[in-house]
Amino acid sequence: LSSPYLASQNLSLKIEYREPVLITKELLDFLVQRETNDFEKNHLGHNDEVDKTAHEILEKKIQATKLNGYATSQPFGKYARRLEAHTFISITPSILRAEINEFLISRFHSNEVEFHSTFFCLFHQVRDIIKKENYILVRVGEEVTDAGLVTGGILIDIVSLPTGKNSFIRQIAEGLYTLPDEVYSFMGRASSDIMDVKMKLEIDKKIALAEDKWRESFSSGVKRFLEESFMPETCVLSVDQKVSDYFKNGLQANGYKVTVLSDFPSLSYNI
């Protein structure tokens, strides 16, 4: 599932004890669950039974752990005074999950359906291919753009912006007084030599205006990343290949170095 059908957040757990304590799975599960409860309260309201039954946890994945400041993939059975854990958590409407689950079971005759967030799956794939520790991961969806701050190889924060590929295309269509379906044809002709100069300039102008609007929305949304960390200079972009150049231009206009995932054969499809 992807935005706007879920809310997600990275929970950063940092605890320091006076004396070294034994780190066990039970202890870490308890601490993560406590943070999860706070996340649910923030998104669902306090002590509202209707809200609690209307939504449910989709994912709760520990991304990384540190003991006494050192990263470790096997924290259990060790003693430490300082414990740090980063957990990705997402929440979705219960009725939506139930309806999708019922549909898939009826069509594929399976009793097991696993749900994941699109953005977190994308992050996992990018992490294994892009050899960078710090970047902003950008996924331009149909109606929403998700941007995630990756610091030290950990997905620290995510923001969702109310502008995506469709709103970008609609704005161009409105400026050209045409239908959204016709915009791709105009774009293709404008990039070739089969269109007169005046019309080409008009199309380029409308595209530039749409790029600017999306870019301004993006800049405003990612400002909060500065509260978490420094702003990386690199963006990793996932978007429909037909419009990838325009969104790449928008990010480059903001001073980012841009890596487009469609340039990688193993990630040539749009996630």
Side-chain angles (χ1 to χ4, degrees), residues 26 30 54 76 103 142 205 220 236 254 267:
E26 290 74 19
F30 170 78
F76 305 133
F103 174 83
E142 299 298 310
K205 178 181 177 181
S220 177
V236 179
N254 277 3
L267 284 173

Side-chain angles (χ1 to χ4, degrees), residues 72-89:
T72 177
S73 60
Q74 298 178 332
F76 305 133
K78 299 176 182 177
Y79 285 85
R81 290 183 62 249
R82 298 195 308 276
L83 169 64
E84 182 178 342
H86 294 276
T87 304
F88 177 85
I89 187 170

Side-chain angles (χ1 to χ4, degrees), residues 4-24:
Y5 303 109
L6 55 76
S8 57
Q9 184 175 320
N10 176 73
L11 305 180
S12 296
L13 170 68
K14 296 180 180 180
I15 293 181
E16 186 166 347
Y17 299 95
R18 291 184 178 181
E19 300 292 335
V21 300
L22 179 64
I23 307 301
T24 64

Side-chain angles (χ1 to χ4, degrees), residues 60-193:
K60 186 167 58 177
K61 305 286 187 180
I62 296 178
Q63 298 188 65
T65 54
K66 289 184 178 180
L67 300 182
N68 295 329
Y70 294 94
T72 177
S73 60
Q74 298 178 332
F76 305 133
K78 299 176 182 177
Y79 285 85
R81 290 183 62 249
R82 298 195 308 276
L83 169 64
E84 182 178 342
H86 294 276
T87 304
F88 177 85
I89 187 170
S90 58
I91 197 166
T92 191
S94 298
I95 188 171
L96 174 65
R97 179 171 179 170
E99 289 181 353
I100 295 175
N101 190 75
E102 181 180 356
F103 174 83
L104 293 176
I105 288 177
S106 66
R107 295 297 189 277
F108 297 99
H109 308 291
S110 172
N111 292 325
E112 295 185 12
V113 178
E114 290 190 14
F115 288 83
H116 300 279
S117 66
T118 304
F119 195 82
F120 195 59
C121 290
L122 174 63
F123 164 67
H124 265 275
Q125 289 189 303
V126 169
R127 185 180 61 179
D128 295 337
I129 294 177
I130 305 296
K131 305 303 181 183
K132 296 181 182 296
E133 290 286 306
N134 307 301
Y135 54 90
I136 298 176
L137 178 59
V138 183
R139 177 183 180 270
V140 181
E142 299 298 310
E143 300 292 346
V144 176
T145 295
D146 289 320
L149 173 64
V150 179
T151 301
I154 299 172
L155 183 59
I156 298 295
D157 197 4
I158 301 173
V159 295
S160 293
L161 315 172
T163 54
K165 182 186 73 172
N166 289 348
S167 56
F168 174 78
I169 294 297
R170 283 195 296 267
Q171 182 180 345
I172 297 172
E174 290 171 3
L176 296 175
Y177 301 101
T178 188
L179 298 174
D181 290 344
E182 298 294 325
V183 170
Y184 292 107
S185 175
F186 278 110
M187 287 177 168
R189 290 161 59 194
S191 62
S192 66
D193 297 326

Side-chain angles (χ1 to χ4, degrees), residues 16 18 32 35 82 98 100 114 142 148 166 188 193 198 201-203 239 242 249 261 265:
E16 186 166 347
R18 291 184 178 181
V32 169
E35 296 294 315
R82 298 195 308 276
I100 295 175
E114 290 190 14
E142 299 298 310
N166 289 348
D193 297 326
K198 183 177 180 181
L201 289 175
E202 184 65 17
I203 292 174
V239 64
K242 290 184 293 186
N249 291 341
L261 291 183

